Each structure stands twice: as C-alpha cells, then as structure tokens.
Amino acid sequence: MFYRISGQFKTDYRSDHALFRVRQDAVLMGIILLFAWVIFPFTANEFVFQALLIPVLIYSLAALGLNILTGYAGQLSLGTGAFMGVGAYACYKLVTIFPEMNLLVAIGLSGFFAAAVGVAFGLPSLRIKGFYLAIATLAAQFFLVWLFEKWAWLYNYNASGAIQVPTIDMFGIRVAGPTASSFVQYYFVLFVVTIMTIFAINITRGHIGRTWKAVRDMDIAAELVGINLLRSKLIAFAVSSYIVGVSGALFVFLWRGAAEPNLFDIPLSFRVLFIAIIGGLGSILGNYLGAILIVALPVILNILPEMVGLEINAAVVEHLNIMIIGALIIAVLIIEPHGLARFWAIIREKLIMWPFPH
Amino acid sequence: MADTIQSSPWTDDGIDPGAVLLNVDNISLSFGGVKAISDISFDVCKGEIRAIIGPNGAGKTSMLNVINGFYQPQEGTIMFRGKERRSMKPHQAVGQGIARTFQNVALFKGMSTLDNIMAGRSVMMKRNLFWQLLWHGPALNEEIEHREKVEEIIDFLEIKHIRRTPVGNLPYGLQKRVELGRALAMEPSLLLLDEPMAGMNLEEKEDMSRFVLDVNQQFGTTIALIEHDMGVVMDLSDRVVVLDYGKKIADGTPDEVRNNQDVIDAYLGVPH
Ligand SMILES: Nc1ncnc2c1ncn2[C@@H]1O[C@H](COP(=O)(O)OP(=O)(O)O)[C@@H](O)[C@H]1O
Ligand SMILES: [Mg+2]
C-alpha cells in the first residue's frame, strides 16, 4: 500500500514546501523588500541611515545568528558580543594584511574565523547544558575580550589599542572608511543581511534545522532516532557563530568605523540576546522585529518630542525613554513570552479567518 | 551504518522469516546495588510479535534500554542480525535498524506531527550544509522524497488531520500514535514498543492494537512489546517472556504463559 500514492502527490508536496503557502504572505514580503531596497534608501537622510536603518539591519543579523544557536538548537549563549568581535578583528587583520582584498570577500571570510572559535567553545556543549553552558560561553566572552585587549598583533600595535577602519573601495566605489557614503553602506549591509537571511531560512526549514529542533526539544529522543548530538550542536555553533561574526565585521566596518575591545563586552551580548528573546526565539522574522523595538524605537522616542514641538529637557527624555522601552519589554514578555514574532503569527491567523471567525 | 537501512527495504534485513533476529544472552544489569536485570536470556524471531510482561519494576524497560544501547549491561551479550556485541551507542543501534517508543512519550514537543515523523528519517537524509543553504535542488528533492514516505505513514496511522499541529498540544493517545509514526519512519527491522497502550481508553487501545498488528503483517516488522493489559498481550503476541524482580520466570506462547504457576503467583503477589 505504500507506493500507491507516491508520484501523484509530488507537485503537491513541492508547493507545500514553498516559502509562502499563502499568497498574501508573498505580497507582504514583496512590500517589505520594496521598502528595504528602494523606498527607505531613496528617502532616508544621513541621520536615518546612521541611527536607524544600518544599525537595525546589523543588530538583526547578530540576533539571527544567536537565534540559530539558542532559538533553534536550544543552546544558550551569553558570548555573542565577543563572537562579533572575532568577526570584526578577523576582518581588520584580513584587510590590513591583504589591502587588495574585496571587502565582501573579507567579511565573508571573517565569518569563518568566528565559526572556528564558536565550534571550539561549543565542544563542551555535549557534556554541559542550560545554565552551565551559558556560563561556559560567558567564559568565552571574558577570554576573548581579554584577548582583543592583550594581543597587540590583533590591532596592529596601535598605540590606542583600538582598530580603525581604513578607507576601502570596491569596484571604484567607496564602501568603508570615514568618507564612505551612508547610501552605499546601507546597500552593502542590506545585501549581506539579505543573503544571510535567505541562508538562515533555508537551513532552518531543512533537515539540519529539524535535527537542531529535535535536540532542543528532547535530546535523548533525538539520540535515539539516530541524530548525532555533538555533530548537530557543533553545526549549530558553526553556523550561528559565522553569522554573528559577519554581523560583527559589518558592525565595525560599515557602521562604527572604529572599535575598542570593550565594545564587544557583555552589554553588547545582552543587547543582542534581548533582541532575539523579545523578537521570538526560534523565529527568523522575530530578529528584525526585536531589533526595531530595541534599537530603533529608543532613537525615535528620543527625537519625537522635538519633532512634535515639545520642549522637554533632554535628560528627561532619556529617562522617559528607558522607562517606556523597559515597560514595553516587560509587557511583551508577560503577554506573549514567545516574542513579537508570535504576536504577528496570531494577528496573521486572525486575518486569515477574517471575516469568518469559526 | 545508515546504509544498511537505506539499501534494504524494511522487511528485508537479511534474516529469514522465523529465524532468530535478536538473541539476548545472560544479560545482567545493575545500578549501584540495585540489580535491575539478572542473567536473562531470550530471543526474538524474525516476523513475530514478542511480548515482554511482568509487574512494575520487573526490569522490562531496562531490558529495552539494553537492547537499544541506552544502558550498558555488566554481563552478557546481545546478538542482532547475526552480529554479537556487549554494548553499543544508541545511534549505532539505530543504524542497525532498531527503533523504539517510550513508556513516557518522548516526542519533540515544539515540532509538528509532520516534523516529528520526518525526524525519524534523520539518519537517511544526507544532503549536507552546502545543499541545505541552497535548498532548491538536491536538498528539496531529498526532503520531498522522504516526505512521501512520511505521508504514507501519516495516512496509515490516520493522523492526517493533525499533520501541522505542534505535538505538545495533542491528547496523550494521539501523541503515542505520533511516536509510533516516528519509529516507523526509521523503517526498523526491530521495533521496540514500551507500553504503547498505557493510559489509553478502550477505543484508543483497539486502534493501537490494530496498528501494531498491521505494522507486523503488512511490513513484516518484528516487534518486541511491553504491555500490561493481559487481553491485549494474549491477542497480539506470538510469544511472551515474563519477568519478575529482574529474573525471567516464564517464556512461551500466550497459553503456556497464562497457565504457568510462577506467572500467576507473580501477578497475584504484586498488584499492578
Ligand atoms: N536509570 C536507573 N537508575 C537506577 N535504577 C534504575 C534505573 N532504571 C531502572 N532502574 C531500576 O531498575 C528496576 C527495573 O525498572 P524498569 O526496567 O523501569 O521496570 P519496568 O519497566 O519493568 O517497570 C527498578 O527497580 C528501577 O528502579
Ligand atoms: Mg517500564
């Protein structure tokens, strides 16, 4: 009886594996892409590029990397900031040792350094779990930042101990350095983030993504269906750290322009972790929603009083801001612990039913 | 390892029907001072349904854990498909064609029914990271190929309507069925079922009994089954081995076992 239906369902299963099984989703995605690729860059001013668009994209990517490890594979990491640092320092060494190297290539390669370091620190994950693993990643965090500080070769023995992004051209266009235009840098970042997101979507919907989720949900059962736990976890560490490393290279080369070791310290790790949690663990979309809330919203709230003509002391605005964002985070976590992505899923569900509630 | 499954249809494991598929020889297992299994031997023949019964704590689950490599026995050997061993890792047992379900459902709670059963085919899915990143092409083709098999199992177990439901939201009886589906997806030559009907109502038990029989008859899958419900055991099984306090007290056809005085005593002495 097992072969009777094979073949005739084939086209069905293929369309069943399509990214958007509902046409409206595809339309919505098209609109988002239109905004990201055309409308935003052609309407944004310098401030919007530098304070909103570029950082939101880069933080989203970092959170995406962390989400692969924590949300999909179930391995908590508190060392994201340091792994961003590995990507940034690797990129710095690559472009200073090989000045001719295309920046896209350099950033793509720096991810591999982060991946290698990630795998090394992921090795204990077979033996230790949960909070204990989190502590191990915290050790990685401290060790790496210490290394960024003490290993002078990493910052080419600069007296300042910081890395400074050199001026870099790509195909005759300035992409990095103090004189690069935000417009170009935005597209550069958007391109990398788009590619990484496509990869992340593909891998999480395939069988490697399924083994991650299986290990996350019940590792013993995963082992007993033949999943090699160590292998599955190490692939997660590698892929996650790769993406995080790339985001770190973008962070410094396409946005900050310079970096000191402590930039990659715990506050950065926690910021990215917040984005992933608020956005929704185990979701791709959530990372973007989380970054908008954590990175963009404070900036918008800061300039809002001025925009509507309110005269409020800057310090007061700052404090109000922290309170509003803090309250929002807590509200989100209370109402929907699975994050903003789940909010969206519920709204979408309602829209599909509408106007016929069942 | 995985190739052994892939290259052979699931009824064909190189063992003739009726010949010994699994032989458990003088196995002893203890945890610290607790002797869970003492010197037990029995065999499972190709194509049969072999029941393992006994009061709570008799060592039944421990026996399955030894067979699929989850526990390492201190003494004795296990011969499966002609290969002898003391112990092996669980994923090696999987590679040789042993699948199982658990006394307490062990599903991937956050995943859908479909994904849970697809996970049963993990060992057979070979497309590496590179192809997964591209998705379209070989990775998708592989996914669809296995999806077809999985849909057949979903059809067979009559769980089409819950295909996309996260299994954590399903009632217990359906979860047990999904777990059977995941084990079937591994195309095992030996299927170990640990109390597949525990906690079910009569109707669910009848459904599950029917599935177990159908799996055995249609796919020729050999089954070792732990069950408490005597009626079910007598109806389903070809042969029964009875354990009590970690020892084997009887072994034979359902009728032989039912009339064995040791068995009657064990069951009267220990309420279950
Ligand atoms: N992992 C373990 N650690 C310690 N003792 C165990 C373990 N697993 C089983 N046992 C003990 O082994 C004996 C048999 O248990 P088990 O195999 O679960 O029995 P059954 O499945 O027949 O009810 C019990 O006394 C139990 O407490
Ligand atoms: Mg038991």
Side-chain angles (χ1 to χ4, degrees):
Chain A
M1 53 94 59
F2 263 169
Y3 278 99
R4 206 175 55 221
I5 55 164
S6 63
Q8 80 204 49
F9 272 51
K10 195 151 198 153
T11 50
D12 258 9
Y13 293 146
R14 196 164 284 274
S15 58
D16 203 37
H17 282 97
L19 193 48
F20 304 109
R21 278 184 286 131
V22 182
R23 191 167 45 93
Q24 282 79 352
D25 284 345
V27 172
L28 186 65
M29 190 69 214
I31 294 173
I32 292 173
L33 286 177
L34 182 73
F35 268 90
W37 279 91
V38 182
I39 296 179
F40 285 150
F42 281 95
T43 55
N45 59 25
E46 191 63 20
F47 174 77
V48 171
F49 274 127
Q50 289 298 328
L52 296 174
L53 294 178
I54 295 178
V56 163
L57 283 176
I58 293 174
Y59 274 106
S60 302
L61 186 64
L64 174 64
L66 175 62
N67 220 320
I68 297 255
L69 186 66
T70 304
Y72 285 91
Q75 313 297 308
L76 182 55
S77 166
L78 300 176
T80 313
F83 288 102
M84 289 174 75
V86 173
Y89 279 91
C91 192
Y92 179 70
K93 288 308 290 185
L94 284 170
V95 300
T96 49
I97 295 173
F98 310 100
E100 297 304 310
M101 189 183 278
N102 182 309
L103 185 59
L104 262 182
V105 174
I107 288 176
L109 289 178
S110 26
F112 286 108
F113 289 88
V117 177
V119 167
F121 282 102
L123 278 172
S125 68
L126 191 68
R127 285 294 156 92
I128 50 180
K129 291 174 191 166
F131 280 114
Y132 299 97
L133 179 65
I135 299 300
T137 61
L138 204 55
Q141 166 78 54
F142 289 130
F143 171 74
L144 288 169
V145 170
W146 174 83
L147 201 66
F148 300 154
E149 235 166 56
K150 300 294 176 203
W151 193 7
W153 176 81
L154 279 180
Y155 48 84
N156 288 352
Y157 308 97
N158 285 338
S160 64
I163 53 175
Q164 195 76 38
V165 175
T167 298
I168 300 171
D169 291 353
M170 221 174 85
F171 312 119
I173 302 166
R174 184 134 306 167
V175 289
T179 52
S181 91
S182 295
F183 182 79
V184 171
Q185 294 196 306
Y186 172 78
Y187 271 111
F188 190 108
V189 171
L190 183 62
F191 174 75
V192 175
V193 171
T194 305
I195 299 280
M196 290 289 146
T197 305
I198 292 170
F199 283 166
I201 290 171
N202 286 347
I203 192 166
T204 52
R205 64 175 156 166
H207 96 90
I208 291 181
R210 202 160 37 233
T211 64
W212 288 344
K213 287 182 260 183
V215 172
R216 171 195 71 190
D217 284 355
M218 186 164 275
D219 53 359
I220 291 176
E223 200 177 1
L224 293 179
V225 298
I227 293 170
N228 183 333
L229 296 187
L230 183 62
R231 195 179 130 86
S232 174
K233 287 177 184 179
L234 290 186
I235 293 176
F237 269 96
V239 172
S240 161
S241 308
Y242 182 90
I243 296 175
V244 168
V246 166
S247 80
L250 292 177
F251 187 70
V252 172
F253 276 71
L254 278 296
W255 187 45
R256 304 287 302 228
E260 290 177 9
N262 63 13
L263 180 64
F264 305 106
D265 223 329
I266 299 210
L268 182 62
S269 297
F270 274 104
R271 197 153 196 231
V272 176
L273 184 61
F274 272 157
I275 294 171
I277 291 175
I278 297 289
L281 291 174
S283 149
I284 305 258
L285 171 73
N287 303 298
Y288 299 90
L289 301 178
I292 290 171
L293 184 81
I294 304 266
V295 179
L297 194 62
V299 176
I300 294 170
L301 287 179
N302 252 337
I303 56 170
L304 203 62
E306 199 182 320
M307 274 166 61
V308 298
L310 272 177
E311 290 287 329
I312 306 180
N313 177 312
V316 176
V317 173
E318 190 69 35
H319 288 134
L320 277 177
N321 205 337
I322 292 172
M323 283 159 64
I324 292 172
I325 299 288
L328 265 177
I329 290 174
I330 292 169
V332 167
L333 290 182
I334 289 174
I335 300 169
E336 184 49 77
H338 296 286
L340 296 168
R342 182 64 64 88
F343 263 129
W344 165 243
I346 293 168
I347 293 169
R348 180 178 167 278
E349 226 30 52
K350 293 236 162 76
L351 287 176
I352 289 174
M353 301 280 193
W354 189 85
F356 307 108
H358 67 161
Chain B
M1 285 270 158
D3 293 339
T4 50
I5 298 184
Q6 229 178 8
S7 56
S8 57
W10 58 7
T11 52
D12 173 21
D13 41 29
I15 306 291
D16 295 329
V20 174
L21 176 67
L22 171 82
N23 190 44
V24 174
D25 193 26
N26 291 309
I27 291 286
S28 291
L29 171 77
S30 47
F31 300 98
V34 183
K35 198 135 198 191
I37 300 177
S38 333
D39 201 24
I40 290 186
S41 305
F42 68 97
D43 61 2
V44 179
C45 294
K46 166 81 184 164
E48 75 172 336
I49 298 182
R50 183 74 144 127
I52 303 172
I53 66 171
N56 274 327
K60 306 180 297 294
T61 299
S62 302
M63 194 67 234
L64 291 199
N65 283 334
V66 167
I67 294 172
N68 86 329
F70 201 59
Y71 289 163
Q72 318 297 333
Q74 279 82 18
E75 279 168 56
T77 53
I78 288 187
M79 194 270 300
F80 181 62
R81 289 172 72 174
K83 285 197 203 89
E84 208 174 62
R85 61 180 163 93
R86 161 72 56 83
S87 62
M88 62 162 75
K89 291 270 175 269
H91 71 262
Q92 292 173 311
V94 171
Q96 293 197 2
I98 299 178
R100 75 173 286 186
T101 66
F102 297 83
Q103 188 167 349
N104 310 307
V105 179
L107 286 170
F108 309 123
K109 292 259 182 325
M111 294 158 66
S112 66
T113 297
L114 181 61
D115 271 341
N116 266 277
I117 301 179
M118 285 292 285
R121 301 188 72 82
S122 298
V123 180
M124 297 170 234
M125 299 187 75
K126 301 280 183 205
R127 292 296 171 192
N128 61 22
L129 191 58
F130 172 77
W131 294 112
Q132 298 298 326
L133 291 176
L134 299 184
W135 182 244
H136 292 279
L140 180 55
N141 290 341
E142 184 184 55
E143 183 85 6
I144 288 170
E145 183 189 311
H146 288 278
R147 173 76 188 275
E148 280 166 2
K149 279 279 185 194
V150 164
E151 286 292 339
E152 286 159 10
I153 290 165
I154 287 177
D155 234 18
F156 171 76
L157 293 175
E158 298 160 16
I159 46 178
K160 275 182 169 170
H161 56 295
I162 53 163
R163 197 191 268 122
R164 300 212 173 269
T165 314
V167 293
N169 302 344
L170 294 174
Y172 189 70
L174 279 178
Q175 292 195 8
K176 286 247 167 195
R177 216 187 279 186
V178 175
E179 205 189 14
L180 175 62
R182 186 180 66 190
L184 287 179
M186 295 160 71
E187 302 187 8
S189 63
L190 176 63
L191 178 59
L192 310 174
L193 302 176
D194 196 345
E195 305 201 18
M197 289 154 225
M200 287 187 168
N201 63 33
L202 189 64
E203 196 189 335
E204 288 172 326
K205 275 189 186 179
E206 281 172 357
D207 281 342
M208 188 53 95
S209 301
R210 183 163 51 85
F211 291 133
V212 170
L213 269 180
D214 284 354
V215 166
N216 176 250
Q217 281 165 11
Q218 293 187 21
F219 316 140
T221 308
T222 310
I223 296 173
L225 166 88
I226 296 176
E227 185 46 56
H228 270 309
D229 186 318
M230 275 306 160
V232 169
V233 170
M234 297 302 154
D235 285 351
L236 289 185
S237 53
D238 297 304
R239 288 191 302 155
V240 185
V241 53
V242 190
L243 309 185
D244 190 24
Y245 291 112
K247 295 198 179 66
K248 181 167 107 170
I249 57 169
D251 190 349
T253 64
D255 278 333
E256 286 164 11
V257 164
R258 191 178 5 216
N259 299 320
N260 181 306
Q261 192 56 44
D262 287 341
V263 177
I264 294 168
D265 290 347
Y267 271 86
L268 288 179
V270 185
H272 63 281

